[in-house]
Structures are given as C-alpha cells and as structure tokens.
Amino acid sequence: MGHSTTATLSSRFNRVKAELESACREAGRAADSVQLIAVSKTRSADEVAELASLGQRDFAENYVQEALEKITALPGRNLCWHFIGPIQSNKSRDIASHFAWVHSVDRDRIARRLNDQRPDGLPPLNVCIQVNIDDEDSKSGISPEQVPALAALITTLPRLRLRGLMAIPRPDSADRGASAFRRLAMTLSSLGNTMPGLDTLSMGMSDDFDVAIREGATHIRIGTALFGPRPAKP
Ligand SMILES: *Cc1c(COP(=O)(O)O)cnc(C)c1O
C-alpha cells in the first residue's frame, strides 16, 4: 500500500470524522452518540487493514463471499463486522457465524435461521430490521406497519438481540431524506414503548449522513466518502 494512498484514506477518514462531529454539534448531540461504520464492499483487505490501522473498528459488507475472504484475511485486529446486504437463506449460516451485527433482517424465516445458526460460543447476534421507508419497489425491507410483528418474533429468539431499525431513503428526495429518516425514528420510538433496549437507528450514507444525524441516527454506514468512488460492477 503506497504512501499516497494511505495519505488519501487518512485525510478522507479525518474529514468524515470532522463532519460527523460537526453534525452532532449542530444537533446538540455528543460526538460519541454516533457510530461510524466503514462500508468496505468492493474494497480490498489491504484497504480495510489500512483504515483499521488508523483506528477504525467497525466495517460493513453486502456480499457474503467477499466478506468472508476479508474477515479471514484480517484476524486478531478486534474488528467488528456488520452485514448490511440482502440475505439469501443459503448464506444465513455464514452470516450467523462471522458477523457481530446484521442490519438487513426483513423476514421471519431469516430471523429464525440466524437464531438457529448462531454458534453457541458467540454472544447473541445484534440485529436491525430493514424498513423500506419510502415504499420503493427496488428496495429490500418491510413496511413500517409490518415492523411490530417481526420485532415481536425476534425478541422471542434467544440467540438474536434486537437493536433497532435500518433504512435507505430514496436517493432523489428534495429534503435529502429528512422526512424518511424522521419516519424511521418515529417507528423506532413507538416500538420502544413496548420493547425496552432498542437503541439503534442505522441510517445515513455518504451523501446524507449529516441529515441522518440531525434526525437521530446512531449508526451511519459510510463507503464512498471514506474509500472514494466504488469501481463500477461488471
Ligand atoms: C453501499 C452501502 C452503503 C454505503 O454507501 P455510500 O454511499 O458509498 O456511503 C451504506 N449502506 C448500504 C446498505 C449499502 O449497500
């Protein structure tokens, strides 16, 4: 890894952290109330290692096979891995075995499989329910109305720990996702009336994390702003 690449990654990392802190300040929130998750999909294990050496601990991946290669290539660094992609049934065992968090749980069957497949020696898997907050055909996730039933199921599964909700607003809204983020926050807070311990709003990406922080995000998932533009998929 060349010196100039490190310098670029390091300056992007510092810029994102500064923007996170200023968004928190403007929102009257403590800077440590928002967790920065580095989305490392399409990035090499070397790039992950580089960012880890700068102090980043939380990394997120969308594709299981790609993730497993990096996770096995980077042992013993105390990294925390988050799964944020669509979940196929035949991949649930790998996800349950290798990740600490799953942000994209969207159906009963997957919740049950993750619970059954979570290895005994590991702590319960932290999960968020993915909500299709703008009701887009192209997006995964369930409607806000369906959230209470899935949440209720997850709380009966001992190897899962329900933490909160995740969403990706439509990319082209005039308010940069503000009303969608607010609806997600309201969905979490009404769920919290009957379910204690929910503490996670996983929302905000490179283009809108300042807005998400203003609306209460606790976990922001940042790829491009840290690593630069992703290579186009073949
Ligand atoms: C790719 C991805 C991100 C990161 O997006 P950027 O715009 O590159 O920050 C965040 N969340 C999910 C679910 C993603 O798939």
Side-chain angles (χ1 to χ4, degrees):
M1 187 103 322
H3 180 72
S4 62
T5 311
T6 306
T8 310
L9 192 56
S10 154
S11 66
R12 286 203 184 100
F13 185 42
N14 288 335
R15 190 181 323 138
V16 168
K17 284 192 294 185
E19 286 173 9
L20 185 162
E21 281 165 24
S22 93
C24 283
R25 205 161 37 242
E26 281 165 28
R29 301 181 55 188
D32 65 1
S33 67
V34 179
Q35 192 89 43
L36 172 61
I37 303 176
V39 177
S40 47
K41 64 183 177 203
T42 78
R43 302 295 164 180
S44 68
D46 280 349
E47 287 172 285
V48 172
E50 203 68 56
L51 194 54
S53 76
L54 298 168
Q56 178 64 22
R57 284 289 160 268
D58 289 87
F59 290 88
E61 291 281 341
N62 291 50
Y63 311 104
V64 175
Q65 204 48 49
E66 181 193 335
L68 294 189
E69 287 165 21
K70 286 176 235 181
I71 293 170
T72 35
L74 298 165
R77 288 164 202 257
N78 203 22
L79 302 185
C80 180
W81 290 96
H82 301 247
F83 190 78
I84 60 173
I87 305 172
Q88 293 168 283
S89 293
N90 64 352
K91 297 287 164 56
S92 62
R93 184 176 300 279
D94 282 333
I95 295 171
S97 313
H98 292 98
F99 288 82
W101 283 74
V102 179
H103 295 235
S104 45
V105 174
D106 63 355
R107 55 200 192 276
D108 290 8
R109 175 177 158 75
I110 290 297
R112 287 207 179 86
R113 287 177 70 91
L114 291 171
N115 178 71
D116 295 346
Q117 295 168 340
R118 180 68 168 170
D120 279 337
L122 296 178
L125 184 62
N126 295 294
V127 303
C128 292
I129 294 171
Q130 184 171 355
V131 181
N132 187 350
I133 197 69
D134 283 320
D135 194 23
E136 293 174 280
D137 290 341
S138 60
K139 290 262 164 72
S140 325
I142 60 176
S143 70
E145 294 71 37
Q146 294 172 308
V147 165
L150 180 53
L153 168 72
I154 293 171
T155 57
T156 68
L157 301 173
R159 305 296 295 136
L160 302 186
R161 181 174 168 206
L162 181 63
R163 298 296 296 268
L165 304 176
M166 184 273 254
I168 308 170
R170 56 184 300 165
D172 49 1
S173 65
D175 66 357
R176 297 179 61 227
S179 74
F181 292 139
R182 198 165 309 150
R183 273 180 276 123
L184 192 73
M186 283 166 48
T187 306
L188 183 74
S189 93
S190 63
L191 206 57
N193 290 333
T194 52
M195 288 175 195
L198 304 182
D199 58 5
T200 301
L201 272 175
S202 171
M203 59 188 199
M205 316 198 320
S206 292
D207 288 337
D208 57 15
F209 70 87
D210 55 325
V211 183
I213 287 172
R214 215 173 300 139
E215 300 299 340
T218 63
H219 291 67
I220 59 173
R221 309 177 311 271
I222 308 298
T224 310
L226 286 169
F227 292 107
R230 277 184 291 278
K233 268 210 233 140

